[in-house]
Amino acid sequence: MLLFLYYSMSTSTHTSVPRQIYPLARLNPYQGNWTIKVRVTSKGHMRHYNNTRGEGCVFSVELTDDDGTQIQAIMFNAAARKFFELFDMGKVYYISGGYLKRANKQYNRVDNDYEMTLNENSQVEEAVNEPIIIPTLTFSFVPIDQLGPYVQQKELIDVIGVVQHVSSTMSIRRKADNESVPKRDITIADDTMKSMIVSLWGPLATGIGSKLLDMFDASPIVAIKSLRVSDFGGLTLSTITKTIIEINPNSHESQKLKTWYASEGSVATFESVGSTFRPGHTNDAPSMYSDRVGLEYITNNPSLGESTPVYYTTRACMSFIKDDQAMYYRTCKTCNKKLTVNVGSAYSFLICRKTQTDPNFRYVVSAKFSDASGEAWMSLFADEAETIIGCSAADLDIMKSKPDGSAYQTQLKKAKWVPHVFRVMVALRAYNNDRRQRITVKIVSLVDYAGESKYLLNEISSTQS
C-alpha cells in the first residue's frame, strides 16, 4: 500500500493529545517512535504459504503521503490477520509502531529504499472527520502500441482500454506449490487501433473478471494499475497481487476513450499486439508466429533434433487420445515430487518423508494432433496438458472414478478438435537401442484469429513478392 505523509501537528478525533506526523521521506531504520499519516493506494491479497519453517500468511499494502512518497508495508501471520480487514483501499490512516529495513527489490517495486514491517503490536487508526489532503490513486497509462520496451523489465505499467472480450475462468496449476489458481483473460483495445490480452489471476479473475463478463457487451472501460509485461508466447500482460482494476473510472482518459469508441472505435478493426509481437531488440525469445511449420514437416524429417533439440511453432487440434492411458500421477503437496510408496490408503513420499491421503495430481499425456498437412504424436505435461484437456488432473481423476465413467469420456471428447497454437521441442530419444523422434509441447495458447489472419496475409504477400 502507499501512504501519503506530512510533517505537522494533528489532533486525533479520539484523543486531544497532539501527535507529530513524520514524512515518509524522513523515515529510516534507526528512528524509534514515529507516526505517519498515509493513504492506502494498493492492497494485496492475503497469501498463504507452507515452507520448511511451517505454515503462515502474509499480505502487503502500499502507502502514500501528501508529498507523493510511497512505501510498502508488509504483515505476517498474526499481524496479517489483525490488519487485513482494517486496511481499505483509498482510506487514510495513522500508523505507528512498525520498523523499517532495506527493501528487497526482487519483491518490492515501490520507489523507496526501505520497506516497512508491521507486527501485532503496531497501531493503525483510521483518520476520520478531519480534512484530508492526501491524493488518491493516480495512473500513468502506457498506450497499447508502446508496450514493447517494457517487456521483461522490472517496471510495472498501467493501461486503459475498452473491453472487447472476456473469457471463462480457467484453473491453472501453480508450479511453486502445485495449487490451482483461477485465471481469466480479457481483451482490451485503445485508440492506437491495437488490442491486447490481459490475464487476470486469483480473486481478480473470479471477482472483477466475473463482473466484466456480465457487462462486456456494453463495452466498459477498464483502467488497470500495476501490470507485469512479459513475452510468454508473444507479448502478455498479467496481474499481480498489487494490481488494481477500475471499471468505467471517472477520469479524463476514460471519457476520451469512451467518446472515441462511440464515434469510430466500435466499428474499427484492431491488430492484436500480443500475438504478433516479435521480441527483436528486447531479447531472443520467439513469438508464437516464428518458426511456423506444419506437422508433416516435423514427421518427414526424422533427423530433426539429432544433435540438439530444435523448436518450432505449429497450429493443430488434438484428434485422438487413448482413454486407458495413465494420464496423471500423484505428487506430494510439500515437495511436489512423485509418490514412491503406497501405504494402505495413503501415499508416502521419500523426499520429504510425509504421508498424505489427498496428494496432488500432475498431468503426463500423450496424444495425437492433426493439421492440414498431417498428424503427429506429442507429449504434454502439467499446465499445457490442463489447457488442452480443459480441467485439472484432480478433477479428471474424480470423473474417471465414477462408476459409469461418462463424465470422463465426455471431457476427453470435448477436448478434441479444438484448435490451439503450440510451441514444441523436437528431440531424438533412445528407446530399446533405437533413437526415436519425440515432440514435446512447451507452450500452448488458444488461437488468436485476428493475429492468425494477419500472419496468413503476410505469408501470402511474401510469396507474391
Side-chain angles (χ1 to χ4, degrees):
M1 282 195 170
L2 300 173
L3 294 174
F4 287 93
L5 184 63
Y6 62 91
Y7 189 84
S8 66
M9 300 301 289
S10 176
T11 302
S12 167
T13 58
H14 298 90
T15 177
S16 59
V17 179
R19 46 188 162 189
Q20 189 175 21
I21 304 301
Y22 284 81
L24 288 177
R26 294 185 56 182
L27 296 185
N28 63 70
Y30 309 104
Q31 285 176 303
N33 297 325
W34 47 258
T35 298
I36 57 175
K37 186 179 183 181
V38 290
R39 186 187 297 276
V40 174
T41 51
S42 177
K43 179 180 178 179
H45 308 300
M46 181 74 80
R47 295 186 291 111
H48 297 271
Y49 60 86
N50 186 359
N51 55 29
T52 55
R53 297 180 180 179
E55 298 181 353
C57 58
V58 59
F59 91 100
S60 62
V61 294
E62 290 180 10
L63 310 170
T64 307
D65 67 12
D66 66 343
D67 291 330
T69 304
Q70 304 174 350
I71 195 168
Q72 176 175 281
I74 188 168
M75 288 140 279
F76 293 90
N77 302 323
R81 291 187 289 269
K82 177 179 179 180
F83 295 123
F84 184 77
E85 298 298 335
L86 178 59
F87 279 121
D88 281 333
M89 270 291 300
K91 290 187 177 180
V92 176
Y93 298 86
Y94 293 103
I95 300 177
S96 60
Y99 66 91
L100 275 70
K101 64 177 182 179
R102 282 283 176 182
N104 185 343
K105 291 303 181 181
Q106 182 179 357
Y107 305 103
N108 184 346
R109 300 187 180 185
V110 175
D111 186 18
N112 198 315
D113 292 335
Y114 301 110
E115 63 185 15
M116 182 183 300
T117 300
L118 302 179
N119 57 40
E120 59 269 36
N121 296 318
S122 300
Q123 291 82 50
V124 177
E125 177 188 337
E126 183 182 352
V128 295
N129 299 325
E130 59 180 84
I132 302 295
I133 62 173
I134 301 175
T136 56
L137 183 67
T138 58
F139 292 86
S140 181
F141 296 118
V142 177
I144 294 177
D145 67 345
Q146 297 178 25
L147 291 172
Y150 295 90
V151 172
Q152 303 294 21
Q153 303 299 312
K154 291 184 177 181
E155 184 177 359
L156 301 176
I157 61 99
D158 307 338
V159 297
I160 186 170
V162 184
V163 176
Q164 301 288 287
H165 177 74
V166 181
S167 75
S168 58
T169 303
M170 299 168 278
S171 181
I172 303 298
R173 188 75 59 179
R174 189 164 50 198
K175 293 182 179 179
D177 54 12
N178 211 29
E179 291 293 322
S180 292
V181 181
K183 173 180 179 283
R184 187 193 301 268
D185 290 336
I186 66 171
T187 302
I188 63 172
D190 66 8
D191 53 6
T192 65
M193 308 306 292
K194 307 291 185 182
S195 66
M196 183 72 228
I197 293 177
V198 181
S199 296
L200 311 183
W201 293 88
L204 288 176
T206 55
I208 286 183
S210 296
K211 186 175 181 180
L212 288 173
L213 182 63
D214 293 335
M215 61 187 300
F216 88 91
D217 285 339
S219 302
I221 307 293
V222 289
I224 311 177
K225 186 172 184 63
S226 299
L227 286 169
R228 178 180 288 118
V229 187
S230 64
D231 60 355
F232 181 79
L235 190 147
T236 59
L237 296 178
S238 298
T239 63
I240 59 176
T241 55
K242 63 184 286 184
T243 299
I244 300 170
I245 300 178
E246 291 189 355
I247 301 175
N248 292 324
N250 184 20
S251 66
H252 169 72
E253 295 88 350
S254 176
Q255 188 57 49
K256 177 183 176 183
L257 198 60
K258 186 176 297 185
T259 301
W260 164 81
Y261 192 77
S263 61
E264 56 182 293
S266 59
V267 295
T269 300
F270 299 98
E271 178 185 359
S272 175
V273 170
S275 58
T276 57
F277 174 73
R278 300 293 202 277
H281 66 279
T282 57
N283 52 47
D284 297 325
S287 79
M288 295 298 273
Y289 290 86
S290 60
D291 310 313
R292 179 69 73 90
V293 298
L295 292 176
E296 184 183 44
Y297 175 84
I298 299 175
T299 56
N300 284 356
N301 291 274
S303 62
L304 289 175
E306 184 173 11
S307 57
T308 183
V310 292
Y311 294 83
Y312 297 101
T313 302
T314 188
R315 190 183 75 177
C317 302
M318 185 176 73
S319 55
F320 177 75
I321 183 170
K322 295 180 179 179
D323 57 9
D324 58 349
Q325 68 174 299
M327 279 188 272
Y328 45 82
Y329 59 90
R330 293 169 174 81
T331 64
C332 176
K333 287 187 173 180
T334 302
C335 66
N336 206 25
K337 301 298 182 181
K338 187 176 181 179
L339 69 89
T340 54
V341 181
N342 191 331
V343 184
S345 61
Y347 299 93
S348 178
F349 301 85
L350 294 182
I351 301 297
C352 61
R353 301 184 182 278
K354 290 189 176 182
T355 299
Q356 299 173 4
T357 57
D358 58 339
N360 287 325
F361 292 80
R362 185 178 177 87
Y363 273 118
V364 51
V365 175
S366 178
K368 183 187 289 186
F369 289 81
S370 302
D371 65 5
S373 69
E375 58 187 23
W377 285 89
M378 301 197 296
S379 299
L380 306 95
F381 302 90
D383 295 345
E384 291 73 33
E386 185 168 317
T387 299
I388 295 299
I389 301 299
C391 67
S392 68
D395 290 340
L396 192 68
D397 180 69
I398 295 173
M399 298 178 197
K400 190 175 182 179
S401 65
K402 297 292 178 62
D404 60 357
S406 60
Y408 173 74
Q409 295 293 339
T410 300
Q411 188 65 38
L412 296 183
K413 184 177 180 180
K414 285 167 51 180
K416 292 192 294 186
W417 301 111
V418 178
H420 288 83
V421 178
F422 301 91
R423 187 71 180 170
V424 300
M425 179 184 75
V426 182
L428 295 186
R429 294 289 183 264
Y431 183 78
N432 289 342
N433 298 321
D434 186 23
R435 288 171 64 80
R436 298 182 181 180
Q437 189 181 74
R438 183 177 183 181
I439 308 172
T440 304
V441 175
K442 309 301 288 186
I443 301 173
V444 59
S445 66
L446 290 170
V447 175
D448 181 340
Y449 289 101
E452 283 289 312
S453 298
K454 181 176 177 59
Y455 166 77
L456 293 174
L457 288 172
N458 289 338
E459 290 294 294
I460 294 172
S461 298
S462 66
T463 62
Q464 296 175 341
S465 59

